[in-house]
Amino acid sequence: MTYDPNNIFARIIRGEIPCNKVYEDEYALAFHDIAPQAPVHVLVIPKGEYLSFDDFSKSAPAEAMAGFYRAAQKVAEQLGLQEKGYRALANTGADAHQEVMHYHLHLFAGCDLGSMIKKGLV
Ligand code: AMP
């Protein structure tokens, strides 16, 4: 699969579509999810063109990776999520129902998030 530069998150980075911004630096942008699944549901996305966790982890330069994960941690700190905890999750590919093909980390918080995967699959 090739990266589509007109995917919705690429358009948000370019300012073509608005977002409810939480944090931005040279490596990452974070904004509230449009359809939150927890009291706090923020998406952190890298500024570079990466399809998924898999693509980002394999292809991004070390500086971009460190910058991105440091930014994600800063978002959690800025929102005060550490005290009660939060979940960082990256859907990757079809079985995980990844909808937007620009790598993003979901940060969920603000309530007891339950067990890791709700449906018992094994
Ligand atoms: P995923 O299934 O991991 O690809 O998640 C994509 C997420 O992007 C979903 O939780 C959507 O609600 C969210 N989303 C889609 N469009 C927007 C948007 N314009 N602004 C904020 N969040 C969005």
Side-chain angles (χ1 to χ4, degrees):
M1 181 181 284
T2 54
Y3 182 85
D4 173 8
N6 287 318
N7 75 73
I8 194 148
F9 291 172
R11 298 187 65 200
I12 286 174
I13 289 170
R14 291 198 296 269
E16 295 167 9
I17 293 176
C19 70
N20 188 358
K21 193 196 291 185
V22 173
Y23 177 86
E24 182 170 17
D25 65 19
E26 67 182 293
Y27 300 106
L29 173 66
F31 50 92
H32 291 281
D33 196 290
I34 204 166
Q37 294 186 37
V40 178
H41 184 177
V42 169
L43 301 171
V44 189
I45 67 176
K47 293 238 170 128
E49 297 187 344
Y50 302 101
L51 288 164
S52 65
F53 170 82
D54 196 73
D55 183 31
F56 184 68
S57 305
K58 187 174 175 181
S59 308
E63 187 188 335
M65 291 187 65
F68 174 75
Y69 288 109
R70 292 253 155 76
Q73 187 280 332
K74 278 183 203 159
V75 170
E77 189 168 304
Q78 186 177 302
L79 295 174
L81 307 185
Q82 291 113 325
E83 189 189 342
K84 299 203 84 179
Y86 61 98
R87 179 169 293 151
L89 180 146
N91 292 320
T92 307
D95 273 1
H97 293 240
Q98 182 179 356
E99 289 170 10
V100 180
M101 295 310 288
H102 178 112
Y103 175 44
H104 51 282
L105 202 57
H106 296 257
L107 300 183
F108 299 104
C111 66
D112 182 339
L113 295 163
S115 59
M116 261 202 302
I117 294 178
K118 283 193 180 136
K119 270 197 254 173
L121 300 177
V122 288

